[in-house]
Amino acid sequence: MPLHINTPLIESRPLSIAAHCTVNLKLDALQPCGSFKLRGVGHACEIHRANGAQRFISSSGGNAGLAVAYAGRKMGVPVVVVVPETTTERAKELLALEGAEVIVHGSSWQEANQLAQGLIKGSDAFIHPFDDPLLWTGHASLIDEVAASGQKPDAVVLSVGGGGLLCGVVEGLQRNGWHDVPVIAVETQGAASFHAATLVGKPVQLDQITSIATSLGAKRVCDQAVNYLASHSIHSELVSDQQALDACERFLFDHRILVEPACGAALAVVYKGAALKSFSNVLVVVCGGATASLEQIRLWAQKTANNP
Ligand SMILES: *Cc1c(COP(=O)(O)O)cnc(C)c1O
């Protein structure tokens, strides 16, 4: 039994009307730890466990760390998550709720990650948040489930942070014979490391992340995400923080599900509609995210409205 669940695939009337085409939602916000990350992280943890891992180590204060904490608790394997001081109280609380040991270290992810790397001993497994083929193979199960439903989309819309979800979805499309289904890869301005890579054909290191969509905040995407540009049709789209936040509020109203701005980014492209005008049947990966509250989303929206 895998750790992730087979999530609902539902038609959305409000998004279909907004985008002038049929929009189906893959509701990975409903995974037990709140995001799609459990697909790949669960798969990686199972393989490491089978190979004798006694402890899982993560340096993500976001949904990847939460997925590792969830997987460890379910498998009876201790988990250590090292997070920087900038991690929200809410994220630390969620990690503690899963029984993970949380170590707060350093002012940036780089510093937290350095400490995490130093903790790794012989029987430990480090679980990367996006750059690992085991993760992509696990994420690909999302497309297997859509294929099993018999509904072939003519495009897939998803968010891109470090590119793990993108790699998993492309792997899933290709292993189901859906090589002809393009992917619309969405980022917020200020976290657009994949967009920067598409312009030059190789990964680019951003100086800084300025978007509030912290789950998209990888300064550099994984090489495989860029390699796929050669073998798959992938269109890069950008939205503003404001548009991502508006999409979160609108999606909460339309479907009664609260998602992070990282997921709101993909939804914003659907609500805007323009980028989808050549398609008739679009699949949207509702990737979810457990770390945002409605209060936080409204605070961000106020701030971005004051400093557009
Ligand atoms: C991790 C995450 C993303 C981005 O996924 P990558 O694999 O890093 O590209 C998007 N949305 C949410 C909610 C996430 O947790």
Side-chain angles (χ1 to χ4, degrees), residues 16-51:
S16 297
I17 289 164
H20 306 289
C21 65
T22 301
V23 173
N24 283 297
L25 307 175
K26 186 62 174 156
L27 289 176
D28 261 47
L30 302 183
Q31 288 294 348
C33 61
S35 80
F36 75 95
K37 289 270 182 358
L38 187 55
R39 293 179 181 274
V41 165
H43 179 66
C45 287
E46 273 165 6
I47 302 270
H48 288 302
R49 180 66 176 152
N51 292 335

Side-chain angles (χ1 to χ4, degrees), residues 123-163:
S123 58
D124 294 334
F126 179 74
I127 313 293
H128 197 280
F130 59 83
D131 194 1
D132 178 353
L134 289 178
L135 226 58
W136 310 331
T137 297
H139 292 339
S141 61
L142 187 148
I143 297 298
D144 295 340
E145 290 168 16
V146 178
S149 80
Q151 302 180 52
K152 183 178 177 182
D154 59 11
V156 181
V157 181
L158 51 73
S159 302
V160 177

Side-chain angles (χ1 to χ4, degrees), residues 34 100 128 158 163 167 170 207 212 215 241 251 267:
H128 197 280
L158 51 73
C167 289
V170 173
D207 291 335
I212 50 94
S215 292
D241 278 355
F251 192 70
L267 298 171

